């Protein structure tokens, strides 16, 4: 395998969602609006969780971490895209592309793991309510988040280091609005066999295992809810995990839909457009899903704004 281009650095060009010049102002306004809504919405969730002592529980601790990761997730890709549109430049440096790829892989992995941890939290709360406080201790919650970070950092570091050993053409056009790992590897001019093996192995291990844990947790949750005799009790139990289940469905359905559609159509531009769903739309909708269906969060937000007025 050839050594990566560290001396003769290639020119990377991000082609974006569309190359039509007339659409650029609309795309700029749309993505700027979505980015601001995402940052503001998730920031409000974090501030509400920190300021309200009633939300100092494991569920909201994990939600606070998820909101922080979603802010970082979108900040990895959208600001660079907006700058490129504003300056009418598609260029991204080699180091900038590798860095963007690293942080994107890191935060999408964290999203994946945190959703699995939140599913486990809901499983303990509904299936073992009497032992919930004893099981979900602050120490365990902190340890679970730490493990999520360690696994995500190591995975992102591994993938990025392997890309550094690839060689690229002098002029490289990436048909995407950010440096996505699979897109960059496919455009390399050296052998990518080991990169492909590691990518697919990581996909199976780091996506399938958390998803299997989520499905197992909800299978037990559904069984426990069905065993509840009163309709009111069933509704109350289901309402505690409805928001999380909605976010899980949105995250995995959009993510899997992007890769399945790109594999079926082999169209890079259609894949780029579809990627907007799980890279931009999903983090933007998460705060609304968790707040609109959650009385505790709405009360905390009212109390937070009431105290500021």
């Amino acid at each position: 395998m050839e050594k990566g281009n560290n001396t003769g650095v290639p020119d990377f060009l991000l082609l974006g969602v569309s190359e039509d010049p007339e659409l650029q102002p609309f795309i700029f306004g749309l993505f700027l609006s979505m980015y601001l809504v995402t940052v503001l919405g998730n920031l409000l969730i974090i501030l509400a969780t920190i300021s309200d002592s009633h939300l100092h529980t494991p569920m909201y601790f994990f939600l606070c971490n998820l909101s922080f990761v979603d802010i970082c997730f979108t900040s990895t890709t959208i600001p660079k895209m907006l700058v490129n549109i504003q300056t009418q430049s598609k260029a991204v440096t080699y180091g900038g592309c590798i860095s963007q790829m690293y942080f994107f892989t890191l935060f999408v992995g964290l999203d994946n793991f945190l959703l699995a941890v939140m599913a486990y939290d809901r499983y303990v709360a509904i299936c073992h309510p009497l032992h919930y406080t004893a099981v979900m201790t602050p120490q365990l919650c902190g340890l679970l988040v730490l493990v999520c970070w360690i696994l995500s950092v190591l995975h992102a570091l591994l993938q990025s280091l392997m890309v550094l050993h690839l060689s690229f053409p002098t002029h490289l056009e990436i048909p995407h609005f950010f440096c996505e790992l699979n897109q960059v590897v496919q455009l390399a001019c050296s052998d990518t066999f080991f990169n492909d093996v590691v990518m697919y192995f990581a996909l199976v291990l780091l996506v399938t295992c958390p998803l299997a844990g989520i499905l197992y947790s909800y299978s037990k949750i559904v069984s426990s809810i069905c065993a509840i005799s009163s309709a009111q009790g069933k509704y109350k139990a289901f309402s505690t995990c409805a928001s999380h289940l909605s976010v899980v469905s949105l995250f995995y359905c959009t993510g899997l839909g992007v890769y399945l559609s790109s594999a079926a159509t082999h169209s890079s531009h259609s894949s780029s457009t579809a990627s907007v769903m799980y890279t931009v739309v999903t983090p933007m909708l998460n705060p609304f899903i968790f707040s609109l269906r959650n009385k505790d969060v709405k009360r905390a937000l009212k109390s937070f704004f009431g105290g500021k007025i």
Side-chain angles (χ1 to χ4, degrees):
M1 186 179 292
E2 297 178 43
K3 190 176 179 180
N5 285 327
N6 294 323
T7 53
V9 181
D11 297 322
F12 281 16
L13 298 177
L14 293 172
L15 300 184
V17 178
S18 172
E19 296 183 66
D20 187 350
E22 296 181 358
L23 286 177
Q24 298 311 303
F26 170 75
I27 293 173
F28 180 86
L30 178 63
F31 275 78
L32 177 61
S33 301
M34 291 193 293
Y35 179 64
L36 293 176
V37 170
T38 300
V39 173
L40 180 60
N42 283 288
L43 189 59
L44 286 176
I45 293 291
I46 294 173
L47 293 175
T49 303
I50 294 174
S51 63
D52 194 330
S53 59
H54 295 94
L55 300 185
H56 294 174
T57 61
M59 180 174 69
Y60 295 107
F61 171 71
F62 296 133
L63 176 57
C64 190
N65 278 272
L66 182 67
S67 295
F68 172 74
V69 170
D70 280 342
I71 292 174
C72 297
F73 186 27
T74 52
S75 298
T76 302
T77 57
I78 299 181
K80 176 59 179 173
M81 176 190 179
L82 296 177
V83 169
N84 282 4
I85 294 176
Q86 187 67 21
T87 59
Q88 297 183 351
S89 170
K90 300 177 181 178
V92 57
T93 64
Y94 178 72
C97 190
I98 297 297
S99 299
Q100 189 180 64
M101 187 170 28
Y102 169 80
F103 284 109
F104 178 82
T105 305
L106 166 64
F107 292 122
V108 76
L110 273 169
D111 253 354
N112 185 43
F113 288 129
L114 284 173
L115 288 174
V117 168
M118 292 173 76
Y120 174 71
D121 172 70
R122 293 299 83 206
Y123 159 73
V124 177
I126 294 175
C127 299
H128 305 284
L130 299 179
H131 302 285
Y132 180 74
T133 305
V135 174
M136 300 303 295
T137 61
Q139 292 78 12
L140 178 62
C141 294
L143 180 62
L144 288 173
V145 172
L146 179 62
V147 170
C148 292
W149 273 94
I150 291 173
L151 291 176
S152 300
V153 166
L154 292 177
H155 170 237
L157 187 62
L158 173 63
Q159 298 287 8
S160 301
L161 288 176
M162 292 195 67
V163 173
L164 287 175
H165 288 281
L166 297 176
S167 294
F168 296 96
T170 306
H171 299 284
L172 185 65
E173 294 185 347
I174 303 174
H176 221 303
F177 64 93
F178 67 96
C179 293
E180 197 265 337
L181 176 64
N182 189 45
Q183 291 277 353
V184 174
V185 170
Q186 286 180 359
L187 296 172
C189 58
S190 54
D191 184 21
T192 63
F193 174 76
F194 289 108
N195 295 77
D196 293 333
V197 169
V198 171
M199 271 196 299
Y200 290 120
F201 179 76
L203 181 67
V204 171
L205 188 64
L206 301 180
V207 175
T208 304
C209 290
L211 181 58
I214 292 172
L215 294 175
Y216 175 79
S217 296
Y218 273 102
S219 68
K220 293 295 184 180
I221 289 171
V222 170
S223 298
S224 296
I225 291 177
C226 290
I228 299 175
S229 56
S230 67
Q232 185 178 1
K234 289 181 179 180
Y235 175 78
K236 185 177 180 181
F238 178 75
S239 64
T240 62
C241 58
S243 298
H244 175 258
L245 186 59
S246 300
V247 170
V248 167
S249 302
L250 186 63
F251 179 79
Y252 282 102
C253 288
T254 53
L256 292 174
V258 167
Y259 286 101
L260 290 176
S261 63
S262 62
T265 61
H266 301 286
S267 172
S268 298
H269 282 290
S270 64
S271 174
S272 173
T273 305
S275 296
V276 175
M277 285 301 298
Y278 82 98
T279 59
V280 183
V281 176
T282 299
M284 181 183 69
L285 293 179
N286 285 354
F288 296 99
I289 294 173
F290 278 111
S291 60
L292 292 177
R293 295 184 58 89
N294 193 308
K295 294 180 180 179
D296 293 332
V297 174
K298 287 192 286 187
R299 187 196 69 247
L301 288 172
K302 289 179 181 178
S303 176
F304 176 77
F305 284 110
K308 299 298 179 182
I309 298 175

